[in-house]
Amino acid sequence: MIKYKWCVCDMDGTLLNSNNAISKENEVALKKLQEMGVEVIIATGRVDLMVKVYIKQLGLKGPVISCNGGLIRNIATGEILYSKVMDKIVVKEIIDYCMTSNVDFIIYTDEIIYSNKNNRLGKRYEDRNKLLSKEMQVPIKYVDKNIIENLDDIDALKVLLVCEKHEEVLVLEKYFSKYDDLTVVSSSICLLDIMAPNISKGNALEILSKKLGVDLSEIIVFGDNYNDMEMFKCAGMPIAMGNSVEEIKSQAKYITKSNDESGIAYAINNYILKE
């Protein structure tokens, strides 16, 4: 009998390989856990609207933690279990800074994402939409003067800054960390996530575990980057990917293979099922 109730997976760099896909090995292993009564939960920096394809592939029907913990929504019912939007004045300051400094950005809300024009990430989502059925597409709009003037109408859960180099991320992180009413964390080498204060995947996991009556010691967590740190600190079984940053590896109970080697499947078969 397996002693864990939840298996929580980060997406980018963890569940997804470098081709943005869930490998067959990972899919089979996670479905095996589900058959054993372990609920698989996605915890991602993206908004849940952007991971519908993966949710369908794994057959998930429960809660998804998205926007680094700024939103928890039940997939099956659409019910929002928790959300915390950013201060509108601060969002306007961030967007003004980005427009002035030529920094690419994406604004996540619970219904749509907004991207500045010529943003390579926004373009990638748009290109991907062309390959997907309508219900799987990411609702995306490009920011124009009208949207900028009406930012008060937007409930932003997260603003993602998209950089060319890691050095740019460090400069922006230092700049926006001066704000008391923001959570600022790097989710990838060229990405900076900005959310409302006290937002983290770990905080969301604690909220969800209390709400649904699951003890934190009964939770497996897979992750690879700084935005997974708080989950690693509170979960009973934190497992770092082989490609993880060193700080995450130092908090892990096990270090598995990389995301390109189906590290989740390897850990399930060699660590979890053998405990």
Side-chain angles (χ1 to χ4, degrees), residues 221-224 232 238-242 244 248-249 252 254-257:
V221 166
F222 285 98
D224 74 306
F232 270 50
I239 303 175
M241 308 305 292
S244 298
I248 283 289
K249 287 180 178 176
Y254 294 111
I255 299 169
T256 186
K257 292 186 175 184

Side-chain angles (χ1 to χ4, degrees), residues 82-95:
Y82 172 82
S83 76
K84 188 173 184 181
V85 299
M86 298 172 67
D87 181 275
K88 292 180 191 301
I89 293 168
V90 177
V91 170
K92 187 158 188 346
E93 287 178 23
I94 296 167
I95 302 308

